[in-house]
Amino acid sequence: NAGVMQNPRHLVRRRGQEARLRCSPMKGHSHVYWYRQLPEEGLKFMVYLQKENIIDESGMPKERFSAEFPKEGPSILRIQQVVRGDSAAYFCASSPTKKQGADEKLFFGSGTQLSVL
Amino acid sequence: AQSVTQPDIHITVSEGASLELRCNYSYGATPYLFWYVQSPGQGLQLLLKYFSGDTLVQGIKGFEAEFKRSQSSFNLRKPSVHWSDAAEYFCAVGATGTASKLTFGTGTRLQVTL
């Protein structure tokens, strides 16, 4: 049973280019979360998605960032016109259900390191 | 807004020695508290969590943590460290009612010497 798969592991982009980060949740998981870890900071919540729906995007920057989780295929975090400040590790997590509280559990991927030149 | 502070960026201990990693949180209500571990090239793995009840919680790999409301702390402990425990450790706090929208600390990197 494969874990949460993220690719690529490392992504290098020049300023102004687009970055697309992919996340395949664990089998049977229908909830996906994206977190970002800026240098010298802790992971910060960005967005929570279910299949074909954005549930909570309160942590997403207002511009250039978007996320989707289509009916088929992986979740995609898209960053348009990247800037140096977007350089960070982007982590995806999934969970099987949205049980509240003690039963809720996240499974994290190993992250995508984005470097903007 | 909730926040987490891990004051130790890097800690080195000898194998077999005891370990305590510090975590302080800021949150207005009763928090959900977590410790995650990240080994090189791996995703974050949940070590343990506190929601309510007994303030001393046991986790995997022999780790435990104690919730102290008066000190706003949730320190992670292990009585005898193994070389395989070398990793980065993250403390996190979640708003009441959720274990998924978390705020993480900056992490403590643990090095174990033989």
Side-chain angles (χ1 to χ4, degrees), chain A:
Chain A
N1 185 16
V4 177
M5 303 300 294
Q6 290 188 248
N7 64 82
R9 291 293 300 276
H10 298 91
L11 182 61
V12 180
R13 286 288 178 266
R14 297 190 180 280
R15 282 179 296 170
Q17 291 184 320
E18 178 180 286
R20 292 171 71 87
L21 288 64
R22 288 178 291 277
C23 170
S24 296
M26 288 183 69
K27 186 176 181 180
H29 288 195
S30 58
H31 303 260
V32 166
Y33 309 81
W34 285 92
Y35 281 78
R36 177 170 67 171
Q37 184 180 24
L38 294 168
E40 310 302 322
E41 296 186 17
L43 283 76
K44 287 187 167 55
F45 169 83
M46 299 181 75
V47 62
Y48 160 42
L49 310 105
Q50 292 181 26
K51 287 284 187 180
E52 301 183 279
N53 286 299
I54 297 175
I55 306 302
D56 182 346
E57 57 182 346
S58 58
M60 288 278 270
K62 299 300 180 193
E63 298 176 346
R64 301 186 297 106
F65 284 71
S66 62
E68 63 177 7
F69 187 19
K71 186 176 181 180
E72 300 292 337
S75 175
I76 304 289
L77 180 67
R78 182 182 179 205
I79 311 172
Q80 296 178 288
Q81 299 175 311
V82 295
V83 301
R84 288 218 174 104
D86 297 332
S87 296
Y90 291 83
F91 290 92
C92 171
S94 71
S95 69
T97 65
K98 188 60 173 120
K99 287 183 181 179
Q100 294 291 329
D103 292 334
E104 199 173 351
K105 186 174 181 180
L106 289 181
F107 295 82
F108 280 85
S110 52
T112 293
Q113 180 65 50
L114 172 64
S115 298
V116 180
L117 304 179

Side-chain angles (χ1 to χ4, degrees), chain B residues 63-77:
Chain B
F63 286 92
E64 66 178 26
E66 187 171 12
F67 170 56
K68 294 185 177 180
R69 184 187 300 276
S70 61
Q71 299 177 19
S72 296
S73 69
F74 189 57
N75 294 348
L76 182 71
R77 300 194 295 250

